[in-house]
Amino acid sequence: MAALYAHRPDYPSALIDRLCGLVRGPARVLDAGCGPGKLARLLAPRVDAVHAVDASPAMIAEGRRLAGGDVRADRIAWAVGRLEEVALDPPYGLAVAGAAVHWFDADRVLPRLARALAPGAVLALVEGDVAHAPPWEDAVREVMIEAVARMEGRRPAWVPDDASPLLAHPRFALEGRERIGPVAVRQPVADYIACQHARATFTPEVMGPDGMRAFDRALQEVLAPDAGRDGELRFEVWTRLEWGRPTA
């Protein structure tokens, strides 16, 4: 799954600018649930240090492999561990979490993050590397619902990604929210499909070979009419950002 993250669209540069603008106190950032370092590698050249934590050894290994170029190795401290119990290295001038926020135990993790922040520092939650309102949205949604129904034996209720707040917990007081973008993306249909397998519900481990083949065939069929002559899809990505300070 870690290698599949390469097919997920990059976050906009304006998001990194905004996150750096949220740093308060020490220019040290905790990337909570970093995956292969999609945010960590972009933040590292702009701050003194990034502590990048993820429960998956494969994700951390991929992050180490990708951490190169203008990102000095000593700027990112990679750590394997669950956020509920991994050793932290406070104080941080900013904590940031991407999609991982949906998978950790908020009642255990968010108090830990609150205690690890420097005075005045915030937790920022980031979401949004999917196509925004593309012409194929309804058809792809139906393919995904059918795939989940095959795996779970019932059709799930579909909740739009932006229907609920990202930061809603008594340990933090929401301070601000923004939508950043759009970013124009061109992507071959095959890469777009591979990107879906980088999302927890549709990973190869969850779907299995037969489920993946059926899923990929169905997506190829509904996406093909919207691909250009070059076989690429064209769409926009918007990113949601919410941040808040620890409550007393």
Side-chain angles (χ1 to χ4, degrees):
M1 178 179 171
L4 293 170
Y5 267 67
H7 299 294
R8 297 177 72 155
D10 290 333
Y11 287 122
S13 59
L15 171 67
I16 307 306
D17 293 340
R18 193 69 186 90
L19 289 173
C20 290
L22 291 174
V23 175
R24 296 291 183 270
R28 302 177 65 251
V29 176
L30 171 64
D31 186 353
C34 64
K38 184 176 177 181
L39 281 171
R41 295 194 313 277
L42 294 172
L43 288 165
R46 306 276 299 274
V47 298
D48 291 343
V50 177
H51 189 189
V53 177
D54 199 275
S56 166
M59 290 293 186
I60 295 296
E62 182 72 358
R64 289 182 183 276
R65 184 185 72 81
L66 294 173
D70 62 350
V71 179
R72 290 181 11 232
D74 61 351
R75 289 281 185 93
I76 304 178
W78 302 96
V80 177
R82 298 175 66 247
L83 287 165
E84 290 83 353
E85 57 202 24
V86 69
L88 301 179
D89 186 23
Y92 301 105
L94 174 71
V96 61
V101 68
H102 298 295
W103 307 112
F104 57 60
D105 182 341
D107 288 336
R108 293 179 62 191
V109 171
L110 292 186
R112 293 198 76 206
L113 298 187
R115 293 190 295 269
L117 289 170
V122 303
L123 167 65
L125 302 185
V126 176
E127 183 174 81
D129 61 1
V130 300
H132 175 71
W136 59 84
E137 184 172 39
D138 291 343
V140 166
R141 180 188 299 121
E142 184 60 26
V143 170
M144 291 179 171
I145 289 174
E146 288 295 332
V148 174
R150 286 194 297 272
M151 290 186 287
E152 298 184 353
R154 60 183 178 84
R155 285 177 64 88
W158 191 267
V159 179
D161 289 342
D162 59 355
S164 302
L166 299 176
L167 185 56
H169 193 275
R171 196 61 182 86
F172 282 87
L174 182 66
E175 187 170 279
R177 54 164 60 100
E178 295 179 11
R179 291 179 73 240
I180 300 173
V183 173
V185 177
R186 293 177 57 177
Q187 190 171 44
V189 171
D191 288 356
Y192 183 91
I193 293 173
C195 175
Q196 309 318 308
H197 293 301
R199 308 188 192 283
T201 303
F202 305 111
T203 63
E205 294 79 7
V206 170
M207 300 197 81
D210 292 342
M212 280 187 64
R213 280 191 290 269
F215 182 75
D216 291 2
R217 282 195 302 268
L219 283 182
Q220 177 69 44
E221 182 177 341
V222 300
L223 291 169
D226 289 297
R229 292 183 178 181
D230 55 6
E232 292 187 334
L233 300 169
R234 290 159 173 79
F235 55 94
E236 291 182 342
V237 168
W238 287 82
T239 297
R240 296 171 66 200
L241 170 65
E242 294 184 9
W243 66 93
R245 298 183 190 277
T247 53

